[in-house]
Amino acid sequence: GNSVTQMEGPVTLSEEAFLTINCTYTATGYPSLFWYVQYPGEGLQLLLKATKADDKGSNKGFEATYRKETTSFHLEKGSVQVSDSAVYFCALSENTGNQFYFGTGTSLTVIP
Amino acid sequence: DVKVTQSSRYLVKRTGEKVFLECVQDMDHENMFWYRQDPGLGLRLIYFSYDVKMKEKGDIPEGYSVSREKKERFSLILESASTNQTSMYLCASSLLLREQYFGPGTRLTVT
């Protein structure tokens, strides 16, 4: 079946530190992969996506590369800001159906 | 920009009440979804709909029903609210095989 596993949090970093949030997946076919971000009290917002192997999604300084050989889609940012404090969700969408599969979320706090 | 709106940000209901949560999207998306989000459990799919009047059960449909009479509107119904249905409820919509867009969420408290 399909599933997503992401690193447990919470993660606390100092401003300007390097961020990695690990995400691995299990899928029966060739899924699309996504990172969503949820700021306090809000719904989820799409952060970036990749639809095929070796694609790199990027947005607002965040990047993730679709690695089929390691079934991974790790989120990275070179220099985090206080405003990046949020919960980050990795997700996959099977390309033959309508459902999404979400990881459990990783809470990030960036301190000045 | 895609806009998904939910009828209430915060809702307080009593045990046994019938509760309606409304979701509206303005981008002509075929698919609509209802999730609940609880600490430590992530997002869990309650129901989804891929067309008007069509619905499919998700992972946790017990105690819930849905209605989709128009393409832009997807309603979640708690027939008889219970305290274990206190949660954040998130609605989402998408085109076929594309990313989901979420509403701001409804925080429901059942007392």
Side-chain angles (χ1 to χ4, degrees):
Chain A
N2 298 313
S3 67
V4 174
T5 302
Q6 60 181 106
M7 67 185 281
E8 302 235 351
V11 175
T12 302
L13 294 173
S14 297
E15 206 165 21
E16 299 184 4
F18 185 86
L19 169 70
T20 300
I21 301 178
N22 290 337
C23 172
T24 57
Y25 67 89
T26 302
T28 51
Y30 300 94
S32 295
L33 301 173
F34 306 85
W35 277 101
Y36 282 83
V37 59
Q38 185 180 33
Y39 298 103
E42 297 185 11
L44 277 68
Q45 301 174 25
L46 179 65
L47 182 59
L48 53 84
K49 67 179 181 181
T51 58
K52 60 184 189 296
D54 300 325
D55 268 2
K56 178 187 281 188
S58 61
N59 186 25
K60 299 180 182 179
F62 291 90
E63 293 184 340
T65 301
Y66 188 161
R67 301 281 188 205
K68 184 167 175 285
E69 63 277 11
T70 54
T71 62
S72 65
F73 192 56
H74 304 321
L75 182 68
E76 297 182 335
K77 187 175 186 184
S79 176
V80 293
Q81 305 300 311
V82 172
S83 57
D84 294 326
S85 298
V87 180
Y88 293 82
F89 291 89
C90 185
L92 75 81
S93 169
E94 52 185 4
N95 285 332
T96 56
N98 294 311
Q99 286 205 49
F100 262 53
Y101 299 84
F102 286 90
T104 52
T106 302
S107 174
L108 170 67
T109 301
V110 180
I111 55 177
Chain B
D1 276 356
V2 176
K3 190 164 186 184
V4 180
T5 57
Q6 295 183 228
S7 49
S8 305
R9 293 298 300 271
Y10 300 95
L11 210 51
V12 179
K13 295 293 182 181
R14 294 193 181 277
T15 301
E17 279 193 82
K18 190 168 187 175
V19 181
F20 293 86
L21 303 183
E22 304 282 338
C23 176
V24 178
Q25 50 94 5
D26 66 356
M27 284 302 291
D28 203 35
H29 285 174
E30 299 96 346
N31 299 328
M32 296 189 75
F33 306 82
W34 276 106
Y35 296 89
R36 65 177 282 176
Q37 182 179 19
D38 300 288
L41 297 177
L43 274 71
R44 292 181 291 169
L45 181 64
I46 304 172
Y47 270 96
F48 69 96
S49 168
Y50 52 89
D51 201 352
V52 175
K53 297 191 185 295
M54 306 303 288
K55 61 184 179 185
E56 293 281 347
K57 292 180 179 179
D59 300 318
I60 52 163
E62 297 79 17
Y64 303 94
S65 62
V66 290
S67 173
R68 194 165 180 202
E69 297 296 319
K70 294 185 178 181
K71 191 174 186 180
E72 68 271 18
R73 188 180 297 270
F74 191 36
S75 302
L76 180 69
I77 303 155
L78 287 65
E79 295 289 343
S80 177
S82 64
T83 55
N84 63 12
Q85 292 178 310
T86 291
S87 186
M88 169 73 97
Y89 290 87
L90 294 168
C91 175
S93 72
S94 76
L95 291 169
L96 184 63
L97 304 182
R98 298 290 298 274
E99 61 270 21
Q100 294 188 1
Y101 292 87
F102 283 81
T106 296
R107 186 163 294 282
L108 173 67
T109 302
V110 182
T111 61

